[in-house]
Amino acid sequence: MDSKQPHNNPVRIGIIGGSGLYDIPGLADQQWQAVQSPFGAPSDSILLGTLNGVDLAFLARHGRGHRLPPDAINYRANIDALKRLNVGMILSISAVGGLREALSPGTFVIVDQFIDRTFARKKSFFGPGCVGHVSMAHPVSTAMGDHIEAVLAAMRVPHHRGGTYLVMEGPQFSSLAESQLYRSWGCDVIGMTNMPEAKLAREAEIAYATVAMVTDYDCWHPDHDAVTVEAVIATLQSNAHQAREMIGHLVPRLAEDVAACRREVEGVLDTAIITAPQDRDPDLVARLDAVAGRVLSPGGT
């Protein structure tokens, strides 16, 4: 497979699995595809296959066996690799802590906003020699969220539509003071992985939606110290099982509604590139062939 250019095949649905979700059972025509990226190595090979006739690309965010901590994940390579496989929408699955009493362990939160508190990660495909600015005011696909909500309601999975995901650097968990601060900011869940992932997906004009699966209350909760590792793992495994079932129901709906799901990201880069064509770094432009070739290639927008 030529990993240098996106395919002209129908748009694939991408799934990025977080803690506890390392593969997708039931895929037909499975193959693990190594994809080369000019931004480095992705977390793992990407599992390609079809589910009910729909083309999927699955990437284990931490790698199979959970080899990578959140701060060591090459988010740019992950998104670039998915873009090269013609992924047009990404369903992100993440394990998180709950910052609200109502968001108890086992609740699935359909996130609509993020606060990025990471500080040691490369957060953009653009840079010196090709400057680009995209809006993150509305970082997720509303249409994808509608389908996720409908599927979770039909499954009778405890869920909440809307919520702010505080993304911390990690790998340590937050202090009590930090947890209380994030609650005072109005945050709903806390995790370590959706930034810069969501930013990069938007730069790549890929529709993005997050299902944040609550495994425990963060340390703000008075009963936090009574929670055992065994209880958290049991919730993580239960969440992962329900996530796999959700994917099975969700994929056909997304495949039938590609245009609506992608509407909010199409054209994102049309006015994002600031650097004049004659001043662009050709090496960086070459690295952006998959992500931004639509607007940077000769004859582009």
Side-chain angles (χ1 to χ4, degrees), residues 11-85:
V11 169
R12 276 195 174 104
I13 296 172
I15 298 169
I16 300 180
S19 301
L21 189 62
Y22 308 110
D23 58 16
I24 301 293
L27 282 185
D29 304 318
Q30 290 191 23
Q31 67 173 104
W32 288 94
Q33 175 67 52
V35 181
Q36 295 181 352
S37 167
F39 295 95
S43 295
D44 205 332
S45 295
I46 296 173
L47 178 60
L48 302 179
T50 60
L51 190 63
N52 298 322
V54 179
D55 288 336
L56 292 188
F58 173 83
L59 175 62
R61 183 185 287 117
H62 299 276
R64 285 166 287 178
H66 206 110
R67 298 174 292 102
L68 298 171
D71 56 317
I73 293 168
N74 189 336
Y75 296 92
R76 294 195 300 177
N78 285 350
I79 298 300
D80 178 77
L82 290 171
K83 179 76 172 185
R84 290 175 188 278
L85 294 172

Side-chain angles (χ1 to χ4, degrees), residues 226-260:
V227 177
T228 65
V229 172
E230 290 78 10
V232 172
I233 291 175
T235 302
L236 185 69
Q237 292 174 339
S238 174
N239 285 351
H241 173 76
Q242 290 185 312
R244 291 185 183 96
E245 183 179 350
M246 175 192 70
I247 289 167
H249 295 302
L250 180 61
V251 163
R253 296 180 62 115
L254 296 179
E256 292 175 359
D257 202 21
V258 171

Side-chain angles (χ1 to χ4, degrees), residues 181-233:
L181 174 65
Y182 302 149
R183 279 171 46 80
S184 76
W185 287 353
C187 299
D188 298 285
V189 295
I190 182 169
M192 302 179 188
T193 59
N194 273 206
M195 284 292 173
E197 190 176 271
K199 290 178 175 177
L200 295 166
R202 192 157 187 85
E203 286 187 345
E205 297 184 322
I206 301 175
Y208 185 87
T210 287
V211 175
M213 308 182 301
V214 180
T215 59
D216 61 283
Y217 287 118
D218 202 44
C219 62
W220 67 272
H221 198 281
D223 296 332
H224 172 80
D225 290 340
V227 177
T228 65
V229 172
E230 290 78 10
V232 172
I233 291 175

Side-chain angles (χ1 to χ4, degrees), residues 83-280:
K83 179 76 172 185
R84 290 175 188 278
L85 294 172
N86 207 39
V87 166
M89 61 184 82
I90 291 173
L91 172 66
S92 168
I93 310 292
S94 300
V96 298
L99 292 173
R100 301 286 168 213
E101 187 81 43
L103 302 178
S104 57
T107 303
F108 283 26
V109 181
I110 307 167
V111 171
D112 61 0
Q113 287 292 330
F114 299 96
I115 293 179
D116 186 0
R117 293 282 289 174
T118 65
F119 53 82
R121 309 177 188 188
K122 295 186 182 299
K123 300 188 180 188
S124 178
F125 291 110
F126 302 100
C130 191
V131 178
H133 301 282
V134 302
S135 171
M136 288 296 295
H138 303 289
V140 300
S141 165
T142 301
M144 290 181 70
D146 290 342
H147 290 298
I148 295 166
E149 183 178 23
V151 166
L152 292 176
M155 290 174 58
R156 298 186 178 180
V157 172
H159 63 281
H160 183 78
R161 178 69 184 269
T164 298
Y165 180 153
L166 187 290
V167 191
M168 62 184 296
E169 181 67 31
Q172 301 85 1
F173 294 117
S174 52
S175 69
L176 177 58
E178 288 170 331
S179 190
Q180 291 172 336
L181 174 65
Y182 302 149
R183 279 171 46 80
S184 76
W185 287 353
C187 299
D188 298 285
V189 295
I190 182 169
M192 302 179 188
T193 59
N194 273 206
M195 284 292 173
E197 190 176 271
K199 290 178 175 177
L200 295 166
R202 192 157 187 85
E203 286 187 345
E205 297 184 322
I206 301 175
Y208 185 87
T210 287
V211 175
M213 308 182 301
V214 180
T215 59
D216 61 283
Y217 287 118
D218 202 44
C219 62
W220 67 272
H221 198 281
D223 296 332
H224 172 80
D225 290 340
V227 177
T228 65
V229 172
E230 290 78 10
V232 172
I233 291 175
T235 302
L236 185 69
Q237 292 174 339
S238 174
N239 285 351
H241 173 76
Q242 290 185 312
R244 291 185 183 96
E245 183 179 350
M246 175 192 70
I247 289 167
H249 295 302
L250 180 61
V251 163
R253 296 180 62 115
L254 296 179
E256 292 175 359
D257 202 21
V258 171
C261 291
R262 286 192 43 75
R263 189 168 295 131
E264 295 166 77
V265 295
E266 290 179 336
V268 162
L269 294 180
D270 286 352
T271 57
I273 311 301
I274 305 299
T275 307
Q278 67 273 15
D279 295 318
R280 293 171 185 168

